[in-house]
Structures are given as C-alpha cells and as structure tokens.
C-alpha cells in the first residue's frame, strides 16, 4: 500500500508541475509582456532617421574598437616574434659553445663571461 501511495504523490506532483509549465505563466512576468512592436503603432520618420543614425554611429564605434584591438594584437605578435628571434639566436650561441667545449676549445665569449662572474663574486665578499 505504501508504494501505491508514493506513486500517487509523485504522479500528482508531476501533474501539478506540468500544468504550471503548460500554463506558460511565470510569477516574475507582467501581464501582456510580449516583445516587439505594438500592432497599432506606426514609427515616425523622425524616429526612424534617429534610430538609423544611432545605428550608424554605433557601427562606426564598433569598427574603430575593432581596428584598435587588431593594432594592439599585431604589436603584441611583433614583440613576441622579436623575443623568439632573440631566444633562438641565444640558443644557437649556446649550442656552438657546447660544440666548442666538446672539441676541447674554450669559446672567447665564455671566457669573458666567466671572468665577469668571478669579479662579481669577489665584489660580494
């Protein structure tokens, strides 16, 4: 008997929710809150011209913002490309140093770097 009673409660709950959904009414909506133009109202020519001008102005501003955004992104890409180029150059230098060390040679730039590091350590002491 309990299972039958539970089903009745569930079914009755589902029915009440379905009836609310089918109703289409929501508590937060106003009566007759349809969107769009009202059937009896025709737009004035002045209103239409003003609306078109606002639309054109908005489009101009949008294009200007888009142009600025693309300029910023292009500058950002150019800066990153320069950084990548510099890092590749530095990597090639270190590869050459490694190759020279493997052959038993001491690269001149490395000697200068080691001397400078040695001087810095002496200054700290």
């Amino acid at each position: 008997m309990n299972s039958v009673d539970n089903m009745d409660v569930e079914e009755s709950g589902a029915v009440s929710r379905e009836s609310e959904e089918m109703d289409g009414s929501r508590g937060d909506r106003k009566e007759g809150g349809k969107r769009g133009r009202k059937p009896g109202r025709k737009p004035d020519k002045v209103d239409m011209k003003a609306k078109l001008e606002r639309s054109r102005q908005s489009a101009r501003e949008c294009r200007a913002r888009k142009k600025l955004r693309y300029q910023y992104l292009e500058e950002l890409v150019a800066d990153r490309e320069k950084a990548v180029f510099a890092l590749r150059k530095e990597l090639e230098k270190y590869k050459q140093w490694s190759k020279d060390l493997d052959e038993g040679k001491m690269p001149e730039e490395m000697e200068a770097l080691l001397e400078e590091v040695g001087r810095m350590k002496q200054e700290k002491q």
Side-chain angles (χ1 to χ4, degrees), residues 9-70:
V9 170
E10 289 174 8
E11 287 177 6
S12 67
V15 169
S16 65
R17 275 184 251 124
E18 285 176 7
S19 64
E20 287 174 9
E21 289 175 5
M22 292 176 72
D23 224 3
S25 62
R26 292 175 54 189
D28 59 345
R29 234 180 185 189
K30 295 179 182 177
E31 280 287 323
K34 294 182 181 179
R35 298 181 184 185
R37 285 193 274 172
K38 307 293 184 256
R41 183 175 177 212
K42 293 185 179 180
D44 295 337
K45 289 232 178 207
V46 177
D47 289 344
M48 286 300 289
K49 286 182 180 181
K51 186 176 179 180
L52 281 173
E53 186 54 39
R54 283 194 309 270
S55 177
R56 289 182 185 126
Q57 181 63 30
S58 178
R60 279 192 289 271
E61 291 170 2
C62 180
R63 286 190 295 270
R65 284 191 306 270
K66 184 177 179 180
K67 185 177 178 181
L68 286 173
R69 184 171 50 248
Y70 273 88

Side-chain angles (χ1 to χ4, degrees), residues 76-118:
L76 196 62
V77 167
D79 290 343
R80 298 285 166 92
E81 286 175 346
K82 287 178 187 175
V84 167
F85 180 74
L87 289 171
R88 282 193 178 142
K89 188 175 178 181
E90 187 177 356
L91 179 63
E92 286 301 317
K93 178 177 74 171
Y94 293 142
K95 281 182 181 179
Q96 186 61 45
W97 284 11
S98 176
K99 190 176 179 181
D100 289 348
L101 288 172
D102 287 344
E103 294 173 0
K105 302 176 197 172
M106 180 63 118
E108 292 177 17
E109 298 93 5
M110 185 179 272
E111 287 178 19
L113 180 66
L114 290 174
E115 288 174 8
E116 185 179 327
V117 170

Side-chain angles (χ1 to χ4, degrees), residues 117-125:
V117 170
R119 275 187 257 132
M120 288 174 65
K121 283 186 178 180
Q122 288 177 355
E123 289 175 3
K124 284 186 179 180
Q125 292 176 358

